[in-house]
Amino acid sequence: MSKKTIDINKLEDLDKFRSAPKLNKIQSKILLNELSFILRKSDWITVGVMSPSLKKGIHAIRKIEEKFEYEEMKCITIPNSDGPIFLKANQKTGEIHARIEFGLGEGILISCQYNDNLLISKTYGPLPLDFFD
């Protein structure tokens, strides 16, 4: 049985996934180029990370900050037990909030935000947790 390559050539192809699909190097490069262009036009971003652990989730956010030279956000809310995590990071407030959440997929969701209320924010992803490594 041959392994079929998932047809992902643009960010909107990820909309149908609950968890981030595996991407090859070409797909990752294409998506990163598209996302970089979109992020440069936004005023700020929010990031949702669905992760099996807090450490992996924070790592994913730090890699985004590093890649796009954003200021490091601060962890405000951290759960007091281990488990699957949902992190919500807001670049405008500089805050990260984390909570234990079961039943989620795995991946990174990035929403572009705008100061102009006429511009509609759009969420992209899920991208693999190691997408920005």
Side-chain angles (χ1 to χ4, degrees):
M1 186 162 40
S2 68
K3 200 172 191 180
K4 185 182 174 202
T5 302
I6 299 172
D7 194 25
I8 299 172
N9 302 304
K10 55 190 180 297
L11 287 170
E12 94 180 8
D13 293 337
L14 296 172
D15 291 351
K16 61 187 172 222
F17 293 95
R18 189 168 178 266
S19 274
K22 295 247 185 256
L23 302 173
N24 64 38
K25 288 182 190 230
I26 294 168
Q27 291 169 319
S28 292
K29 185 175 181 175
I30 290 168
L31 296 182
L32 182 58
N33 286 339
E34 184 182 355
L35 184 62
S36 295
F37 177 77
I38 293 166
L39 290 182
R40 280 194 297 273
K41 295 192 311 183
S42 68
D43 293 309
W44 81 93
I45 63 168
T46 55
V47 181
V49 180
M50 304 170 291
S51 173
S53 71
L54 179 63
K55 184 177 180 180
K56 285 184 178 183
I58 294 291
H59 176 80
I61 290 173
R62 296 296 179 235
K63 286 299 184 178
I64 293 168
E65 293 166 338
E66 193 177 295
K67 179 76 176 168
F68 296 103
E69 299 179 350
Y70 295 150
E71 281 192 39
E72 187 173 294
M73 295 179 265
K74 293 177 181 51
C75 295
I76 304 299
T77 310
I78 297 175
N80 53 12
S81 62
D82 292 332
I85 283 287
F86 181 76
L87 289 140
K88 182 73 170 193
N90 185 317
Q91 185 190 19
K92 189 173 189 177
T93 65
E95 296 180 350
I96 300 170
H97 297 274
R99 67 178 184 261
I100 299 286
E101 187 141 343
F102 293 92
L104 294 177
E106 186 174 295
I108 301 168
L109 303 167
I110 298 180
S111 297
C112 295
Q113 309 293 330
Y114 305 95
N115 292 324
D116 182 345
N117 291 336
L118 297 176
L119 296 173
I120 298 170
S121 67
K122 169 111 174 76
T123 301
Y124 302 94
L127 297 158
L129 290 176
D130 63 355
F131 186 76
F132 297 97
D133 283 351

